[in-house]
């Protein structure tokens, strides 16, 4: 058999495709046109209007339906002889365990989130099934091949952590549009329409605020008895953009080297000839009335409501004036209160919720105006608030084609021909596609190499629940974590646990680590964190520590064995010339050689020098 699979191997191959979105639609089409006849598709999402510009298997009539099911039906119309099984489900569901994965020759990923990618990676390792991973970001794309024991797994190298911003910057000293957008999404939107019982770092304006101030701040955002939605919107407007700015200006020291913000009150926006009822009841300069929206749509239309429509603002790629931002703010608040009252108290920001995007755009722009920051279009705000880099259909098509090429190589049994391929926006060496050799497994990977980890933690203040949620689930990606100390099960999660055992484990969760029984988790104790569904297991050494920085506010840090000592020397054995680095583990920077933990500045073995350069400078193979 040649490097590429022959027709018989292709037709007999059984392929699992995870994700039926932007990449998935292109991939399913390319698979069946290449000759693949046995395909399973898993996707938990339903089709949204915003998908239709690039996910070509879907039409407007399909909005609200299962992506996996509709993709299957669309493909069967032009390839009716193909056996496609569609699952409208979460790939992390227990039904898709190791046994399920073992029936496939290949797993092809078209996912859009880190958590699911990590889960599939571990199942492929446990089932010993090759995984072809992919992703696109605008004009950029990448396809990688992962084979157990032969190449690095998906988690062998660190992935970029989601961008976070200091709370003080968001609440007090914004300097970029994104600061204002994060503020609008995480503070006023949640305070006005979300669950007020949930704690939020942005709830407190300053560390010196006493409890009475905090209580007054929280109660201010409640609708008062007999207060109309218009009056409430105006009162909240003056508080957020006027009074709070005036309070911030009293701290003169904060503005010695910064531009002072300008308070913004409703009375300062409208001319003296304009009356309050006009700004509350009427639309933009074109004379449209705010009330036109709810008269045309039923009250349960939910996310279909739009303040823009009633205000005559038609172009989402135009920057609104301060006056129009104020009008949008007032109108969105009123529409939420009058037309979506049943949802109040449980709303969270959704990029596909038109009214939510309009509110965040207006609130962010009004705050930006106060702080002298450029305002943004609603199109741009939606992208930033939803962590969106707008997808390019042609990039998805190219990446899908590359996935199928790697699948053919794997079926051809010539695994040495597999390549990691980058899709570039601008040509490098006259190439837009840059193939590179695959790397061997990272010996410091805690997933495929089972390297032990160290948890630095304040055992006197941190609870078992913190370890389960913030370490086992969030940092290590365990879907159903079990934590053991020797033969003692400290915590077990999952749908198959009986009620009696679940109650026992639940009772332990809020216990401090040093008070757990029968063995307290204190300095030097070793625990095991497992996920039986993923067949994932990791040994973690507990190291007590109390001197955490402000950035380490959860009193925990997860890293490699070098954390057991103050400093360590790490040798990258796979380099042509061994690279040595002495690491100060309490002041680690982004490029140090520490063990890789996804989303952390944790240490990782340095790769070859050429691999740390741009893709075009790596080892190229055609």
């Amino acid at each position: 058999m040649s490097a590429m699979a022959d027709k018989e191997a292709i037709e007999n191959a059984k392929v699992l495709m995870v994700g039926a979105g932007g990449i998935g639609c292109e991939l399913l089409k390319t698979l069946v046109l290449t000759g693949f006849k046995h395909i399973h598709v898993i996707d938990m999402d339903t089709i949204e209007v915003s998908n239709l510009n690039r996910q070509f298997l879907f039409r407007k009539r399909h909005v609200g339906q299962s992506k996996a099911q509709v993709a299957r039906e669309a493909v069967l119309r032009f390839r009716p002889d193909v056996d496609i099984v569609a699952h409208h489900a979460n790939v992390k569901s227990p039904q898709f365990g190791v046994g399920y994965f073992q029936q496939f020759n290949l797993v092809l990923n078209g996912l859009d989130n880190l958590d699911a990618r990590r889960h599939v990676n571990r199942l492929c390792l446990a089932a010993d099934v090759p995984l072809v991973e992919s992703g696109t970001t605008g004009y950029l794309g990448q396809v990688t091949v992962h084979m157990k024991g032969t190449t690095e797994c998906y988690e062998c190298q660190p992935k970029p952590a989601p961008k976070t911003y200091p709370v003080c910057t968001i609440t007090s000293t914004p300097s970029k549009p994104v600061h204002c957008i994060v503020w609008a999404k995480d503070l006023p939107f949640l305070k006005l329409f979300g669950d007020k019982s949930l704690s939020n770092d942005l709830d407190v304006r300053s560390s010196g605020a006493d409890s009475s101030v905090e209580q007054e701040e929280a109660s201010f955002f409640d609708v008062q008895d007999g207060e109309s939605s218009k009056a409430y919107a105006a009162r909240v407007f003056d508080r957020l953009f006027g009074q709070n700015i005036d309070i911030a200006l009293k701290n003169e020291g904060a503005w010695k080297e910064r531009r002072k913000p300008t308070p913004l009150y409703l009375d300062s926006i409208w001319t003296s000839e304009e009356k309050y009822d006009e700004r509350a009841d009427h639309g933009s300069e074109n004379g449209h009335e705010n009330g036109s929206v709810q008269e045309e749509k039923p009250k349960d239309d939910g996310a279909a409501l739009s303040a823009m429509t009633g205000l005559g603002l038609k172009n989402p790629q135009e920057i609104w004036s301060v006056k129009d931002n104020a009008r949008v703010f007032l109108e969105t608040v009123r529409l939420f209160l009058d037309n979506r009252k049943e949802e109040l108290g449980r709303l969270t920001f959704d990029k596909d919720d038109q009214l939510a995007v309009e509110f965040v755009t207006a609130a962010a722009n009004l705050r930006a105006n106060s702080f002298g920051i450029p305002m943004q279009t609603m199109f741009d705000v939606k992208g930033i608030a939803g962590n969106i880099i707008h997808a390019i259909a042609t990039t998805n098509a190219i990446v899908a084609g590359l996935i199928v090429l790697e699948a053919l190589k794997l079926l051809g049994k010539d695994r040495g021909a597999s390549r990691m391929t980058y899709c570039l926006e601008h040509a490098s060496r006259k190439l837009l596609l840059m193939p590179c050799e695959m790397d061997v497994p990272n010996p410091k990977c805690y997933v495929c190499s089972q390297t032990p980890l160290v948890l630095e933690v304040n055992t006197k203040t941190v609870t078992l629940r913190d370890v389960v949620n913030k370490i086992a689930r969030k940092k290590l990606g365990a879907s159903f974590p079990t934590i053991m100390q020797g033969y003692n099960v400290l915590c077990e999660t999952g749908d198959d646990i009986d009620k009696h055992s679940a109650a026992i484990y639940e009772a332990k969760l809020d216990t401090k680590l040093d008070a757990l029984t029968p063995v307290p988790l204190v300095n030097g104790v070793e625990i095991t964190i497992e996920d039986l569904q993923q067949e994932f297991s990791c040994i973690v050494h507990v190291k007590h520590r109390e001197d955490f920085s402000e950035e380490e506010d959860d009193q925990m840090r997860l890293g490699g064995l070098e954390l057991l000592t103050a400093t360590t020397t790490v040798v990258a054995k796979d380099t042509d010339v061994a690279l040595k680095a002495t690491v100060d583990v309490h002041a680690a920077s982004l490029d140090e050689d520490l063990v890789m933990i996804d989303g952390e500045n944790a240490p990782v073995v340095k790769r070859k020098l050429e691999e740390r350069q741009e893709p075009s400078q790596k080892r190229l193979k055609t």
Side-chain angles (χ1 to χ4, degrees):
M1 187 179 287
S2 64
M4 290 290 186
D6 60 20
K7 181 179 179 181
E8 183 179 0
I10 294 171
E11 291 181 347
N12 292 333
K14 196 170 184 179
V15 176
L16 172 60
M17 198 185 91
V18 188
I23 295 175
C25 281
E26 293 285 350
L27 179 57
L28 185 59
K29 175 262 297 181
T30 307
L31 284 172
V32 298
L33 293 179
T34 305
F36 287 87
K37 292 185 176 295
H38 306 284
I39 306 168
H40 282 223
V41 182
I42 301 175
D43 197 304
M44 66 181 292
D45 288 340
T46 56
I47 299 163
E48 300 172 352
V49 173
S50 60
N51 302 147
L52 302 181
N53 70 332
R54 65 192 181 281
Q55 298 175 22
F56 74 100
L57 295 180
F58 310 142
R59 297 294 182 266
K60 190 174 182 179
R61 65 180 181 274
H62 297 136
V63 171
Q65 299 181 37
S66 161
K67 285 187 175 182
Q69 296 286 358
V70 173
R72 172 186 178 274
E73 294 166 4
V75 168
L76 288 178
R77 282 199 293 270
F78 60 86
R79 278 292 187 274
D81 59 328
V82 178
D83 176 25
I84 302 176
V85 179
H87 301 275
H88 179 53
N90 190 336
V91 71
K92 297 175 70 175
S93 171
Q95 64 180 306
F96 305 120
V98 175
Y100 174 81
F101 272 66
Q102 285 175 332
Q103 67 181 298
F104 298 102
N105 301 100
L106 300 169
V107 176
L108 312 178
N109 260 0
L111 289 162
D112 62 357
N113 70 89
L114 177 63
D115 189 43
R117 283 183 168 117
R118 295 167 75 179
H119 184 81
V120 171
N121 174 64
R122 295 174 189 189
L123 289 175
C124 287
L125 287 171
D128 197 11
V129 177
L131 168 65
V132 182
E133 182 59 76
S134 67
T136 63
T137 303
Y139 290 101
L140 305 179
Q142 182 173 325
V143 173
T144 57
V145 180
H146 306 284
M147 296 172 281
K148 183 177 180 179
T150 303
T151 69
E152 63 182 14
C153 77
Y154 176 75
E155 298 176 78
C156 273
Q157 298 299 335
K159 305 301 181 291
K163 182 65 176 176
T164 59
Y165 302 96
V167 172
C168 59
T169 299
I170 300 300
T171 58
S172 304
T173 57
S175 59
K176 301 177 181 178
V178 66
H179 297 158
C180 299
I181 295 168
V182 171
W183 173 87
K185 183 177 73 168
D186 291 347
L187 179 55
F189 184 84
L190 291 183
K191 274 187 176 293
L192 270 59
F193 315 121
D195 187 350
K196 295 179 173 61
S197 66
L198 296 178
S199 61
N200 188 313
D201 288 339
L202 298 178
D203 285 344
V204 182
R205 282 202 310 270
S206 67
S207 58
D210 57 35
S211 58
S212 63
V213 173
E214 293 177 23
Q215 292 173 2
E216 189 276 333
E217 176 78 6
S219 63
F220 180 88
F221 291 96
D222 295 331
V223 179
Q224 307 302 315
D225 292 339
E227 186 176 33
S228 70
S229 58
K230 299 172 186 175
Y232 173 78
R235 178 166 63 86
V236 168
F237 183 102
D238 282 345
R239 179 59 168 259
L240 290 175
F241 308 110
Q243 297 166 17
N244 282 356
I245 299 296
D246 280 328
I247 293 172
L249 288 171
K250 292 179 180 180
N251 182 12
E252 296 182 359
W255 313 109
K256 288 182 178 179
E257 298 181 3
R258 295 186 180 95
R259 177 194 181 278
K260 288 184 178 182
T262 304
L264 187 63
Y265 290 91
L266 283 175
D267 288 337
S268 67
I269 296 177
W270 278 267
T271 64
S272 59
E273 289 79 13
E274 292 176 308
K275 300 177 181 179
Y276 171 79
D277 59 351
E278 288 179 330
R279 68 190 180 210
D281 290 338
H282 294 281
S284 189
E285 289 84 349
N286 58 19
H288 285 263
E289 291 186 1
N290 294 350
S292 62
V293 178
Q294 71 274 16
E295 291 171 3
E296 295 174 0
K297 294 182 179 288
K299 287 190 175 183
D300 60 354
D301 244 1
L305 283 174
S306 170
M308 286 180 62
T309 303
L311 297 172
L313 301 171
K314 299 179 181 179
N315 188 350
Q317 298 196 49
E318 285 184 354
I319 296 177
W320 301 331
S321 67
V322 173
K323 184 181 293 186
D324 280 335
N325 275 293
R327 288 192 171 98
V328 171
F329 180 91
L330 295 172
E331 180 68 354
T332 53
V333 172
R334 189 185 66 77
L335 287 173
F336 270 119
L337 267 59
D338 291 349
N339 293 56
R340 297 176 63 176
K341 186 177 298 184
E342 70 283 354
E343 300 176 68
L344 298 181
R346 54 188 177 87
L347 281 168
T348 57
F349 178 80
D350 183 346
K351 63 180 174 60
D352 293 309
D353 185 333
Q354 175 72 12
L355 203 59
V357 174
E358 290 173 353
F359 173 89
V360 168
T361 300
N365 279 339
L366 291 166
R367 183 168 175 84
N369 179 75
S370 290
F371 282 85
I373 300 169
M375 296 191 294
Q376 304 295 304
T377 68
M378 192 181 77
F379 180 83
D380 291 331
V381 170
K382 180 178 180 179
I384 297 171
N387 298 317
I388 300 168
I389 297 177
H390 296 283
I392 307 296
T394 48
T395 310
N396 290 337
I398 292 168
V399 166
L402 292 171
I403 294 172
V404 175
L405 286 176
E406 295 303 328
L408 295 176
K409 295 176 188 177
L410 291 169
L411 290 177
K413 304 301 182 184
D414 186 1
R415 297 189 171 188
S418 296
R419 294 289 179 265
M420 170 178 12
T421 305
Y422 293 94
C423 179
L424 307 179
E425 180 176 0
H426 303 290
S428 177
R429 302 183 184 180
K430 299 183 179 181
L431 296 174
L432 286 173
L433 298 180
M434 306 297 295
C436 311
E437 287 184 351
M438 297 299 304
D439 287 305
V440 298
N442 183 351
K444 297 229 171 190
C445 177
Y446 67 91
V447 178
C448 65
S449 299
Q450 298 185 325
T451 299
L453 300 175
V454 174
L455 174 62
E456 290 187 324
V457 57
N458 190 332
T459 58
K460 298 178 181 179
T461 60
V462 172
T463 65
L464 181 60
R465 187 185 302 274
D466 294 328
V467 175
V468 172
N469 292 334
K470 297 179 180 180
I471 300 299
R473 285 197 171 103
K474 185 176 180 181
K475 299 287 180 68
L476 296 181
S479 299
F480 301 102
T482 296
I483 299 180
M484 301 180 64
Q485 195 286 311
Y487 292 104
N488 299 308
V489 180
L490 302 177
C491 174
E492 187 174 4
T493 60
D495 298 332
D496 57 344
I497 302 175
D498 63 86
K499 293 182 179 180
H500 177 69
S501 298
I504 294 176
Y505 297 136
E506 178 66 28
K508 289 184 178 182
L509 288 178
D510 292 319
T511 306
K512 302 292 191 294
L513 297 184
D514 65 354
L516 286 169
T517 57
V519 179
L521 297 190
V522 293
N523 192 66
V525 172
E526 180 182 290
I527 62 175
T528 302
I529 298 178
E530 299 179 342
D531 187 317
L532 297 181
Q533 182 191 1
Q534 299 175 350
E535 293 194 10
F536 165 75
S537 179
C538 181
I539 295 174
V540 179
H541 300 274
V542 176
K543 179 181 179 182
H544 178 73
R545 176 182 163 196
E546 297 182 7
D547 57 335
F548 287 92
S549 65
E550 292 183 2
E551 288 76 16
E552 300 168 312
D553 56 356
D554 55 5
Q555 303 280 287
M556 292 184 285
R557 182 190 175 195
L558 189 65
L561 290 174
E562 68 281 347
L563 293 180
L564 291 175
T565 58
T567 59
T568 186
T569 299
V570 180
V571 181
K573 296 180 180 179
D574 64 339
T575 54
D576 295 322
V577 178
L579 300 174
K580 297 183 178 181
T582 301
V583 180
D584 178 358
V585 298
H586 294 292
S589 63
L590 291 174
D591 58 354
E592 288 175 333
D593 282 4
L594 306 170
V595 162
M596 186 281 295
I597 305 293
D598 273 336
E600 292 293 296
N601 295 340
V604 53
V605 174
K606 284 187 178 178
R607 305 175 72 180
K608 293 186 180 181
L609 183 60
E610 62 267 32
E611 295 179 78
R612 298 173 59 214
Q613 299 170 350
E614 293 296 323
S616 60
Q617 297 173 295
K618 295 180 71 175
R619 306 184 304 280
L620 305 182
K621 296 288 182 179
T622 56

